[in-house]
Every structure is written in structure tokens, then in C-alpha cells.
Amino acid sequence: MRTFGRGMLYSIIVVVILLAISFIIGDTVTLPWFVFIPLVLLVWELAFCQSRNEDRSTG
């Protein structure tokens, strides 16, 4: 469950960053699928690795 929570948190952070960039440039930010899918996979892999490292260190 920790991995899902972190994955969602990191996904929300990425969306907020993209929203801030769109406000700064004053236009819509569009990501093609070949950029979006690896970005999502990278965020969830980061969350999975951090949860796995916490599990190893605690027990």
C-alpha cells in the first residue's frame, strides 16, 4: 500500500509541475504518448524502489 500511496503522490507532484509550467508559459502543455508513458513508468518505479529499500532497512 505504501508503494501505491507514493506512486500517487509522485504522480500528483508531476501533474502540479506541468500545471505550473503551463501557467508560466500561458499555454497548454501537451505530452505525446511516447513521453507520457515512460514518465509514468519512471514515477512508479521510483516509488516502488523507495518502498522496497524501506522494507529492507526495517526488517
Side-chain angles (χ1 to χ4, degrees), residues 11 14-15 18 29-44:
S11 297
V14 167
V15 168
L18 289 173
V29 175
T30 57
L31 292 176
W33 286 107
F34 60 87
V35 173
F36 177 75
I37 292 172
L39 182 65
V40 169
L41 292 176
L42 181 70
V43 165
W44 283 88

Side-chain angles (χ1 to χ4, degrees), residues 1-47:
M1 189 66 178
R2 275 186 286 190
T3 302
F4 179 74
R6 278 195 183 146
M8 289 305 294
L9 175 67
Y10 295 159
S11 297
I12 291 169
I13 290 171
V14 167
V15 168
V16 168
I17 290 170
L18 289 173
L19 184 63
I21 291 171
S22 71
F23 280 140
I24 290 170
I25 64 173
D27 200 9
T28 304
V29 175
T30 57
L31 292 176
W33 286 107
F34 60 87
V35 173
F36 177 75
I37 292 172
L39 182 65
V40 169
L41 292 176
L42 181 70
V43 165
W44 283 88
E45 179 67 24
L46 177 67

